[in-house]
Amino acid sequence: MPSLTFYTNPMSRGRIARWMLEEVGEPYDTVLLDYGTTMKGADYLAVNPMGKVPAIRHGDTVVTEAAAICAYLADAFPAAGLAPPPGDERRGPYYRWMFFAAGPVEAAVTNKSQGFESDKKQMLGYGSFEDTMSALELAISRGPYICGDQFTAADVYVGSQIGWGLMFGTIDERPGFKDYVGRLDVRPAARRANELDDAAMPAKEEQPA
């Protein structure tokens, strides 16, 4: 089986990929990178020219971007049951909401947190922050998970986005969001991932300002 290497920093979106790796349950090596030094070094820039984490290397295949990593791992390790199979009617919602979170949700939350506002909704991929939050609420309202009773990689990604948004106050505290994140937080893989990343956190004086 090809080797699996995970490049990350515990103060990053690498936490999403870590959770996904723990859900997959396959062995992997972790390479911890520091902001401004090893993350921008020649060795890692050969992996991801953006000099950002997370990234994975699976054999000769490199995947960056947290949503892409989640989707890739679900397909690379189908025995984990983290994606509806091709032809399954749940495949549409699975892709739809994972990439809705990676696109409109990410952009809407980032723009709002940076104080960017526009009255030209038709020019923004997400329309408006309020519309985006209502659509996100709809995504998680049709069952315990995005794909009904099946937990998938879409829940790893969507749940991470909502969880961080609630933690940092960048997403509305709607009851549906809190209930959804609560269901995900108790998963054994989510707890293992948090424990691993928390243990890898640098000392407070070493954290980036």
Side-chain angles (χ1 to χ4, degrees), residues 49-137:
M50 287 288 288
K52 296 177 71 67
V53 291
I56 62 167
R57 185 190 294 277
H58 184 215
D60 294 327
T61 300
V62 171
V63 187
T64 65
E65 315 313 315
I69 291 170
C70 288
Y72 175 86
L73 288 172
D75 287 343
F77 301 99
L82 294 168
D88 189 306
E89 64 182 7
R90 295 170 296 177
R91 191 82 168 180
Y94 166 78
Y95 279 127
R96 175 187 181 185
W97 296 114
M98 183 187 299
F99 292 102
F100 178 78
V105 172
E106 173 88 9
V109 169
T110 299
N111 284 352
K112 184 182 180 185
S113 67
Q114 296 295 314
F116 173 81
E117 295 183 11
S118 174
D119 58 1
K120 297 180 179 179
K121 293 172 57 174
Q122 69 276 14
M123 296 184 67
L124 300 175
Y126 60 85
S128 72
F129 180 83
E130 291 74 20
D131 289 347
T132 302
M133 291 300 103
S134 293
L136 184 62
E137 187 173 31

Side-chain angles (χ1 to χ4, degrees), residues 10-205:
M11 299 176 65
S12 76
R13 290 172 176 82
R15 284 183 173 257
I16 302 173
R18 171 84 77 180
W19 178 12
M20 184 63 190
L21 285 161
E22 290 299 314
E23 291 284 356
V24 166
E26 295 291 333
Y28 62 92
D29 296 319
T30 301
V31 178
L32 292 174
L33 300 168
D34 295 321
Y35 288 100
T37 57
T38 51
M39 207 178 291
K40 301 298 183 181
D43 287 346
Y44 185 63
L45 290 176
V47 175
N48 183 1
M50 287 288 288
K52 296 177 71 67
V53 291
I56 62 167
R57 185 190 294 277
H58 184 215
D60 294 327
T61 300
V62 171
V63 187
T64 65
E65 315 313 315
I69 291 170
C70 288
Y72 175 86
L73 288 172
D75 287 343
F77 301 99
L82 294 168
D88 189 306
E89 64 182 7
R90 295 170 296 177
R91 191 82 168 180
Y94 166 78
Y95 279 127
R96 175 187 181 185
W97 296 114
M98 183 187 299
F99 292 102
F100 178 78
V105 172
E106 173 88 9
V109 169
T110 299
N111 284 352
K112 184 182 180 185
S113 67
Q114 296 295 314
F116 173 81
E117 295 183 11
S118 174
D119 58 1
K120 297 180 179 179
K121 293 172 57 174
Q122 69 276 14
M123 296 184 67
L124 300 175
Y126 60 85
S128 72
F129 180 83
E130 291 74 20
D131 289 347
T132 302
M133 291 300 103
S134 293
L136 184 62
E137 187 173 31
L138 175 65
I140 62 169
S141 68
R142 297 176 177 175
Y145 305 115
I146 296 292
C147 294
D149 291 334
Q150 181 187 4
F151 174 87
T152 68
D155 295 295
V156 173
Y157 191 78
V158 174
S160 294
Q161 290 279 34
I162 295 175
W164 284 354
L166 293 175
M167 182 185 303
F168 294 110
T170 57
I171 282 182
D172 302 341
E173 284 198 15
R174 302 187 184 193
F177 291 164
K178 296 173 75 172
D179 290 346
Y180 176 63
V181 170
R183 288 193 293 276
L184 303 182
D185 283 347
V186 299
R187 291 185 63 82
R191 289 181 169 178
R192 286 196 306 272
N194 279 327
E195 288 170 0
L196 289 167
D197 280 325
D198 288 347
M201 287 283 286
K204 197 165 185 179
E205 61 270 15

